[in-house]
Amino acid sequence: MFYSFVRAVVALALRLFYRVKVNAPSAEPEGPVMFVGNHPNGLIDPALVFILTRRHVTFLAKEPLFRLPIIGWLLRGLGALPVYRKQDDPSQMGKNEGTLDAARGALVRGRAITLFPEGKSHSEPSLAELKTGAARIALGAAKQGAAVRIVPVGLTYADKHLFRSEVLIEMGVPIEVKDFLPADAAGEVDSVRKLTEHIAGGLRSVTLNLEQWEDLPLIQMAERLYAFRQKEAMDPERLRHWARGLQLFRSEQPERFERMRGDLMSFHRRLELVRADPTDLALTYQAGPVTRFVLKNLALLVFGLPLFALGLGLFYVPYLFPRWMSRKAELDVQATVKFLAALVVSVAWWGVLTVGAWLWRGPALGLPVLLAVPPLSLFTLYFSERWWVVLRDVSVFFTLGSRARLKARLLEEGERLAAEVDQLAGEYRPRLEQPIAPLAVVAGR
């Protein structure tokens, strides 16, 4: 009951904090399952598992979290298991055997567990070295007869520390642990290494791995142009291929790479100046659709603006408080601080508004405020996001719709670059479809 309640509240709050997209099979994996994920965003990463699966999941979390007043209480209530890390307290690492036994036992009983084999949250542009703990737990349970599968989970954030930014949760191909069982005790170390390498490959197949963050806008522009040429939507899988292909392209053809990088980023900057996307360049504006767009949004403005103004006034303080709380936090924990602060402050502010209304005008006002605050806050959020989109569309219309020569030049350049990107994709596609090389592996958790 406690787990179901926490899961429902956290999943709803996360969908309000982020724009969440899930790419996973409709049928959830059954039986003993270990979810393993990349770890770029503190406590937000394990919390997103609540959205991915309805199963009761046992989490493995670093031991210092269990000592925090509220988070520790939640972790114990959820049945999480503490992991004792060398960097926290070397003298406590002997206790990890009990944690590993408990995790293996959960799998043997057919349950699901979650852990992050990088062993730490970080803001690097690629996966860190993996610890071997996940493989050791899975193999230990498989030795006891459990048909364990390891499911790689990729978490890709657009701007992980920003409210209402996008996050993609992607489930990879399950790994059958029985295929890695050693024939005898002498082969156990090699089995652990091979399984860890396979886990690394699975994680790389569902995550972006860049040499530097400066490469991200480059591969995003390449994908936008490719999608524009193919008349398709942007594809996260292709974006990962662009990231891998970029490394090959840079090392094998440095001069061509630098020229193309300069062209793509120059085009990217020009589009940013007019707040446009490659797909905007092919738009044609006709009187009928433009009139319907104007009338629809004028009606929304007339009827929605008073409610939005009320919501903005009521919720401005709880909106600012999480930002103030996270101002000194490291990047990989900023979202955690903002999310927890927003969750606590939102509930408290709801109570303050309700109690204030009740004391002022009694239940005649208190009850309506109690019932109206949640839908008003959701409408305020919807209205603000809707109008950012409208303002962008209006900006593109006045910038490109009335400047035919500028639009024609940008379209010509975009089509030329899209053709070059398409040619490049054809050159590297056969090699990118080969299996991913394993990551480095280190012993430990």
Side-chain angles (χ1 to χ4, degrees):
M1 183 68 179
F2 178 77
Y3 181 93
S4 299
F5 174 75
V6 172
R7 178 190 169 275
V9 171
V10 172
L12 174 62
L14 281 170
R15 288 190 179 278
L16 294 176
F17 191 88
Y18 289 109
R19 295 199 302 273
V20 180
K21 295 184 178 180
V22 179
N23 184 9
S26 56
E28 291 193 29
E30 299 178 349
V33 170
M34 175 187 289
F35 294 104
V36 295
N38 58 314
H39 205 2
N41 202 12
L43 291 178
I44 299 296
D45 299 332
L48 287 171
V49 176
F50 286 132
I51 294 177
L52 181 66
T53 178
R54 292 181 177 275
R55 295 187 60 178
H56 191 296
V57 176
T58 299
F59 294 92
L60 276 70
K62 62 183 181 181
E63 188 275 335
L65 292 175
F66 287 79
R67 290 183 253 142
L68 298 177
I70 298 176
I71 293 175
W73 173 75
L74 278 173
L75 289 174
R76 285 187 289 271
L78 295 172
L81 301 173
V83 175
Y84 300 86
R85 305 185 306 173
K86 185 176 181 179
Q87 60 263 43
D88 298 324
D89 187 352
S91 67
Q92 299 292 312
M93 290 189 65
K95 297 180 179 180
N96 277 331
E97 284 306 314
T99 297
L100 296 178
D101 287 341
R104 283 191 289 264
L107 291 173
V108 170
R109 293 192 298 274
R111 298 184 63 177
I113 69 174
T114 295
L115 70 161
F116 297 87
E118 292 173 283
K120 62 179 181 179
S121 177
H122 65 91
S123 295
E124 297 304 314
S126 60
L127 287 170
E129 293 178 328
L130 300 192
K131 309 293 186 181
T132 58
R136 289 188 285 125
I137 291 171
L139 287 169
K143 285 180 185 177
Q144 299 180 46
V148 182
R149 286 179 295 168
I150 298 176
V151 177
V153 177
L155 305 173
T156 304
Y157 298 86
D159 288 292
K160 61 184 181 180
H161 62 293
L162 294 182
F163 178 65
R164 297 306 293 165
S165 59
E166 187 174 293
V167 56
L168 171 66
I169 311 171
E170 187 156 13
M171 188 183 292
V173 178
I175 302 168
E176 297 288 347
V177 176
K178 62 179 173 50
D179 296 338
F180 295 86
L181 282 172
D184 50 44
E188 187 168 335
V189 173
D190 191 50
S191 291
V192 169
R193 179 185 59 80
K194 288 181 179 178
L195 181 53
T196 305
E197 289 177 350
H198 212 72
I199 293 171
L203 283 174
R204 291 185 68 187
S205 72
V206 290
T207 56
L208 277 179
N209 288 276
L210 305 170
E211 292 183 2
Q212 54 192 22
W213 282 121
E214 289 76 9
D215 290 338
L216 183 58
L218 180 61
I219 65 169
Q220 288 174 332
M221 178 51 65
E223 168 58 15
R224 288 191 183 100
L225 287 169
Y226 184 85
F228 168 65
R229 183 176 174 84
Q230 302 297 323
K231 296 180 173 59
E232 298 174 354
M234 289 184 64
D235 182 2
E237 176 64 26
R238 280 204 307 260
L239 201 61
R240 287 192 288 274
H241 281 159
W242 287 118
R244 291 174 59 201
L246 180 70
Q247 298 176 19
L248 295 174
F249 188 33
R250 175 187 278 132
S251 63
E252 295 175 354
Q253 304 183 61
E255 292 183 2
R256 184 185 174 196
F257 167 77
E258 289 298 331
R259 178 188 61 77
M260 195 161 187
R261 183 183 67 83
D263 289 346
L264 287 173
M265 294 313 296
S266 175
F267 185 63
H268 170 70
R269 287 189 290 271
R270 283 198 288 279
L271 287 182
E272 279 195 329
L273 287 175
V274 295
R275 298 180 182 179
D277 192 78
T279 53
D280 296 323
L281 303 178
L283 289 175
T284 56
Y285 296 102
Q286 298 176 350
V290 170
T291 302
R292 286 193 295 271
F293 172 85
V294 171
L295 293 176
K296 177 183 175 180
N297 286 287
L298 278 178
L300 179 63
L301 183 64
V302 169
F303 294 107
L305 187 59
L307 282 176
F308 173 70
L310 175 62
L312 195 63
L314 288 176
F315 306 126
Y316 189 66
V317 171
Y319 174 75
L320 289 181
F321 185 76
R323 298 177 65 184
W324 176 80
M325 286 285 292
S326 65
R327 68 194 189 284
K328 294 183 180 180
E330 296 291 335
L331 183 60
D332 62 300
V333 296
Q334 273 189 25
T336 299
V337 175
K338 284 184 177 180
F339 176 74
L340 292 175
L343 191 60
V344 172
V345 171
S346 297
V347 174
W349 195 253
W350 184 11
V352 167
L353 292 175
T354 301
V355 171
W358 199 294
L359 293 176
W360 185 32
R361 286 289 187 267
L365 182 61
L367 284 175
V369 169
L370 176 66
L371 298 175
V373 164
L376 178 61
S377 64
L378 293 177
F379 176 80
T380 304
L381 180 61
Y382 162 78
F383 192 92
S384 63
E385 290 188 348
R386 170 68 183 170
W387 275 95
W388 277 116
V389 174
V390 170
L391 290 174
R392 178 196 173 277
D393 290 344
V394 171
S395 173
V396 170
F397 173 76
F398 281 109
T399 303
L400 297 180
S402 59
R403 300 171 70 179
R405 292 178 61 186
L406 171 62
K407 182 179 177 182
R409 286 199 304 270
L410 288 173
L411 179 60
E412 181 182 358
E413 183 178 5
E415 290 176 337
R416 177 183 65 80
L417 289 173
E420 289 190 43
V421 165
D422 192 22
Q423 179 184 349
L424 193 63
E427 293 175 23
Y428 283 91
R429 185 181 295 111
R431 295 166 64 185
L432 296 177
E433 292 173 349
Q434 296 175 3
I436 300 174
L439 279 176
V441 177
V442 295
R445 171 184 162 192

